[in-house]
Amino acid sequence: MHISNGIINGPVSLAYAGVAVALLALCLNRSRQDLSDRLAPMAGLVAAFIFAVQMLNFPVLPGVSGHLLGGALAATLVGPWVGALCVSVVLIVQALIFADGGLSALGLNITNMALLGTAVGYLVVVGLMKLLPRSAFGVGAAVFAASVVSVVIASQGFVLQYALGGEVPLTIGFGEISAVMGGVHALIGLGEGTIAALAVVAVAKVRPDLVYALRGERLDGHAQASPKRLVVAGLLTAAVLAGGVSYFASSAPDGLDATTLRGCTVNAAGEITGGSCIAQSQGEHELSGGLLADYGINGVEGTTGIAGIIGVAVTFAVGLAIFQIVRRRRKARV
Amino acid sequence: MKALEISDLHYSYPDGHEALQGVDLHIGAGERVALLGPNGAGKTTLVLHLNGILPPASAANMRGVRGTVAVGGKKIEPKDRAGLAEIRRRVGLVFQDPDDQLFLPTVGEDVAFGPANLGLRGEELAAAVDEALAAVGMSDVKHRAPHHLSLGQRRRVAVATVLAMKPELLVLDEPSSNLDPQARRELAEILLSLPVTMLMVTHDLPYAAQLCQRAVVLDEGRIVADGPILEILADTQLLAKHRLELPYGFAVPV
Amino acid sequence: MGAGHAHAMYVHQHSAVHHLAPETKIAAALAFTIIVVATPREGLLAFGAYAVLIAAIAVLARVPALWLAKRSLIEIPFVATALLLPFFAAGPKVSVLGLQVAQEGLWGGWNILVKGTLGVLIALLLAATTPARDIMTGLDRLRLPQAITQIAMFMLRYLEVLADEARRMRIARMSRLDDPRFLWQVKGFATGLGTLFLRAFERGERVYLAMRSRGYTGRLPAALQADNVANTRQWMTVALLPAVALAFLILWGLQ
């Protein structure tokens, strides 16, 4: 997930660093309001928790394991401001002390994972909590959906960054990249969401006052959140989401094209970097008969849709495989 | 002048739980007192009153919050920031889990934290740190990370972190818990060598008997017994009534 | 990401590089990274020169080459991206070992590979020669808000405590025959995370109380970070790295 140096060009990285600094300042300010002089030790422990969570591997399938990203989890537990601040600190420390994630890409990584991921996650949780019952299952489902959406949106943040300042133009259009990234991350979000939901429910049962998104209210009833129900619900969410994203992407090529052009102006301002922008290379390749000329206003509109469908199909295939395994195990038990 | 004077102290938590219901306690300078009582008796709440962490300034006029605490003749005023700083210098709190207390990357820095907050700088600060570490026999771990020390070492360092502030009253929460017998004895020797007034919260009755002359039993937010420790430990009825028990095979030395 | 995170990457040595003030090293590493990223991918000579610079620092800092090589494996996902790019990039194709690949993609893959590697190496050298807490002190002196450096410091202090707690909880779970192999068997693991959060949060509250007991009012006393502040000479010395790199960039990179 951590973007390294050299994937996104200098000017765009710099612009994102600026965005990250401004938004972090806001988060810092709001976090102080939440925690006052308790900020450093409390946020420090929460950041340590997120970091520790990212180190713990959980099984997905035999031989396949994953780890949490924790953005939506953090936002649900400690609120969007402290949450974003803590994830940012984790990313800064990972870049400086563990050489994980490029120094020049720090702004990009913070924007995607700390700011976008937590903000979206929090909005979804709070929105869904208004609709869902205040039961363990309601909270679990809200956190689950928030995690999936958060991870997918964070991945779309990267796609946007690549569209703005990716160093290499690709044969596949950004609609396809968006769909494929969305599909893959919807699957990642499945694990993320299951774990985050169960963890939040565990906290909410004991100390509902420590779940920021619950705003101090207790849970109703004693309904249990079962991992199985979450996985099933999640697969549906993931499929709908992957489909939705690809539909959105393929139905709005103009919007994406506009972003590539925007990337161009940024790039033109910093030509010393030598990074090629999409629209520029597009021109070159039109002359040389390259494939990228197909992308954009005169693009073959079908291709973006196809990639989206592939993304959904992959999601479904994996989902079905999991369903099969569940069913077989259930039969075996009976 | 008394080292500690608590009179008619009441405290209720915001959820309504009445943790302290009228505590009166006087401790003279140089005394070593054991504070005994079952879990949930209000011991920790009482300890947090000794340096003004409770009651929070915002709760000063709430229902169920009254009474006074004075340290060395100085009354604690929750709203008086400068006064609270002085109280916190006079009262050294050693928490049960050293990991809660030692939060800085190296032992030396952590011991320096308190005196630096008091405004000590340079040579003076370094001297305070070295003196405190020497007092607990931990001078050689000054540059190590707390996480890499044994529990016994960490607890001794935790004592040093408050000793560095030259407290008049040392308050220890469960100092002997989870220590191996040697670490437990070494800590006892160190504590006995310190020339300060001491209040020790503990369930380890033999340890209390070894270190303190006087015992105070707290239960349900009230002081239910106060006297020479050996007399209190010999009163089996009193102990049983307040869920205190001597370990198997232990007899009160006469 | 991985288990390697539990231990910071400091390599204990007594070299000139180790003894530099941390703020100068951070600034130099950052400047160097920016210069590397700003170098056009065709500037092969410049990249070569950067690599020589890095090797020189590594020798000066007595950081073993094998250590650097092992730690730089963190970059592998990006190497994979770099290797895939030639097949997905647009533009004219060239034939390499009988495979049709895009010229643009080859350059792009090279670009990611070389910039990523150089970036990881300089970051590793920074981490190898500067203890984690000094990096925080350095950031503080570079005017990063103290709230952020303080949070980071607390995080580093308690990371291992929490990781140990998680490990003990896992062992306790496994001793009671919880051995998840599928995602829908992770209830124990996930609930454990909830417990870990509760413990972390409550520990935060206790740490705060213990700090307040020793006079904490929201800022760490400056006296704790007084040693090894950079002087002009140190800044000048360290400025050599980005200056030389910039010279290479202008000489060979921008043709």
Side-chain angles (χ1 to χ4, degrees), chain C residues 211-235:
Chain C
M211 290 171 72
R212 256 184 68 184
S213 305
R214 289 193 281 156
Y216 178 74
T217 52
R219 285 190 73 81
L220 287 188
L224 293 180
Q225 306 184 328
D227 58 334
N228 196 15
V229 183
N231 51 29
T232 323
R233 225 186 84 221
Q234 285 212 359
W235 276 114

Side-chain angles (χ1 to χ4, degrees), chain B:
Chain B
M1 191 170 56
K2 295 282 184 190
L4 177 69
E5 290 168 277
I6 303 174
S7 46
D8 194 32
L9 190 64
H10 290 256
Y11 186 76
S12 297
Y13 280 98
D15 66 0
H17 171 63
E18 291 178 53
L20 300 179
Q21 308 176 20
V23 172
D24 287 283
L25 177 63
H26 291 217
I27 296 179
E31 266 193 292
R32 283 198 298 270
V33 181
L35 178 61
L36 312 175
N39 293 333
K43 300 190 298 290
T44 305
T45 310
L46 181 61
V47 163
L48 291 179
H49 274 83
L50 299 184
N51 69 355
I53 283 175
L54 288 178
S58 56
N61 298 320
M62 270 169 53
R63 262 188 53 201
V65 177
R66 65 192 147 92
T68 59
V69 179
V71 179
K74 185 175 170 58
K75 212 177 122 193
I76 299 181
E77 298 282 354
K79 285 182 178 153
D80 171 15
R81 287 177 69 97
L84 276 182
E86 170 58 19
I87 292 288
R88 284 178 190 156
R89 186 199 66 74
R90 290 186 187 184
V91 180
L93 242 58
V94 180
F95 287 73
Q96 182 178 359
D97 185 347
D99 275 329
D100 295 339
Q101 188 129 8
L102 308 176
F103 66 96
L104 281 161
T106 67
V107 166
E109 278 174 276
D110 213 294
V111 176
F113 177 74
N117 279 329
L118 292 176
L120 264 59
R121 294 287 178 271
E123 299 274 301
E124 234 185 330
L125 183 61
V129 172
D130 291 342
E131 195 187 321
L133 281 173
V136 297
M138 287 280 103
S139 304
D140 50 335
V141 300
K142 187 176 168 186
H143 299 291
R144 300 208 17 217
H147 189 72
H148 296 145
L149 303 179
S150 73
L151 179 66
Q153 289 174 314
R154 272 180 286 162
R155 192 157 287 150
R156 278 152 74 175
V157 171
V159 172
T161 63
V162 299
L163 281 187
M165 298 171 78
K166 307 235 172 358
E168 293 163 17
L169 173 65
L170 188 60
V171 182
L172 301 141
D173 192 358
E174 292 288 355
S176 63
S177 66
N178 296 324
L179 293 188
D180 64 48
Q182 254 188 29
R184 182 173 173 274
R185 179 180 49 75
E186 284 163 0
L187 184 66
E189 282 162 10
I190 287 162
L191 293 177
L192 282 170
S193 74
L194 299 174
V196 291
T197 314
M198 203 177 288
L199 179 68
M200 195 172 101
V201 178
T202 187
H203 294 291
D204 184 347
L205 301 184
Y207 207 58
Q210 183 189 353
L211 288 172
C212 305
Q213 304 99 352
R214 179 179 157 199
V216 174
V217 180
L218 186 76
D219 198 3
E220 294 178 351
R222 287 190 190 88
I223 304 272
V224 292
D226 185 348
I229 191 158
L230 295 183
E231 282 178 26
I232 293 207
L233 294 189
D235 187 342
T236 37
Q237 273 189 326
L238 175 81
L239 293 189
K241 194 173 164 201
H242 300 291
R243 303 180 59 83
L244 295 169
E245 245 168 59
L246 288 166
Y248 175 76
F250 182 86
V252 179
V254 187

Side-chain angles (χ1 to χ4, degrees), chain A residues 58-59 136 194-195 198-199 201-202 205 223-228 230, chain C residues 173 178 180 182-195:
Chain A
F58 58 82
T194 307
I195 308 274
L198 291 167
V201 168
K205 278 183 184 160
Q224 297 279 320
S226 99
K228 229 172 268 171
L230 279 169
Chain C
R173 264 200 329 272
D178 180 42
F182 295 89
L183 184 57
W184 52 89
Q185 299 173 338
V186 292
K187 183 152 188 179
F189 171 86
T191 314
L193 282 192
T195 313

Side-chain angles (χ1 to χ4, degrees), chain A residues 294-307:
Chain A
D294 290 342
Y295 177 76
I297 305 158
N298 305 319
V300 183
E301 260 140 53
T303 51
T304 43
I306 291 166

